[in-house]
């Protein structure tokens, strides 16, 4: 099995500070990190290369996060990619899971819980 250092996490979050904090913590845990601050930016990255998992903010400013998930699920290279939705709003959980996300975490996120969920999703 590949180590965490060989696994790439795509963080999609329109809040640069939150994305940077996640990046720092996940890099410390051993993951390679890519960041997209918009849904369109995430789609562009996904068109060029597939990460191992996507952490997707449920409320993006440019396009609905459901559109990002639909893109992921429609592409043969990424259709099985684990997608974990993140939101401060607990009521977003059902919508995210119905849109095709594999998991949901409510912000603020405990980094140990997030790393455990990522590792479980990558198995």
């Amino acid at each position: 099995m590949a180590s965490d250092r060989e696994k790439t996490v795509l963080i999609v979050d329109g809040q640069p500070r939150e994305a940077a904090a996640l990046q720092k913590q996940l890099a410390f845990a051993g993951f390679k990190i890519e960041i997209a601050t918009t849904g369109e930016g995430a789609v562009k990255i996904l068109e060029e290369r597939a990460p191992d998992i996507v952490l997707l903010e449920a409320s993006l400013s440019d396009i609905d996060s459901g559109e990002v998930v639909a893109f992921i699920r429609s592409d043969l290279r990424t259709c099985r990619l684990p997608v974990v939705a993140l939101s401060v709003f607990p009521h977003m959980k059902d919508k995210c899971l119905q849109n095709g996300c594999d998991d949901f975490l409510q912000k603020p996120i405990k980094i140990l819980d997030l790393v455990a969920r990522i590792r479980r999703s990558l198995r």
Side-chain angles (χ1 to χ4, degrees):
M1 176 182 236
S3 73
D4 291 345
R5 292 214 181 279
E6 298 167 344
K7 300 294 184 178
T8 301
V9 177
L10 172 58
I11 299 169
V12 185
D13 195 322
Q15 301 297 319
R17 282 187 156 163
E18 288 186 30
L22 278 178
Q23 176 184 25
K24 185 176 183 179
Q25 293 170 327
L26 292 175
F28 184 76
F31 296 99
K32 291 191 300 186
I33 308 299
E34 291 205 47
I35 294 179
T37 57
T38 64
E40 290 292 334
V43 168
K44 184 174 180 172
I45 289 171
L46 290 160
E47 287 174 336
E48 295 172 2
R49 59 199 169 277
D52 295 291
I53 188 168
V54 176
L55 302 181
L56 178 63
E57 169 58 46
S59 302
L60 298 172
S61 61
D62 61 334
I63 62 174
D64 187 83
S65 61
E67 292 179 48
V68 177
V69 178
F71 174 81
I72 290 168
R73 298 296 178 233
S74 69
D75 188 315
L76 288 176
R77 294 175 306 109
T78 59
C79 64
R80 298 180 54 108
L81 191 64
V83 178
V84 178
L86 311 172
S87 180
V88 296
F89 304 110
H91 69 272
M92 294 294 290
K93 180 177 182 175
D94 288 340
K95 179 184 177 192
C96 291
L97 296 176
Q98 288 172 0
N99 283 343
C101 292
D102 299 291
D103 203 351
F104 177 89
L105 279 172
Q106 186 176 341
K107 293 179 177 181
I109 299 166
K110 294 179 181 167
I111 193 63
L112 294 176
D113 292 340
L114 178 59
V115 169
R117 296 261 183 117
I118 290 171
R119 288 180 176 145
R120 185 179 69 220
S121 294
L122 291 173
R123 275 191 246 139

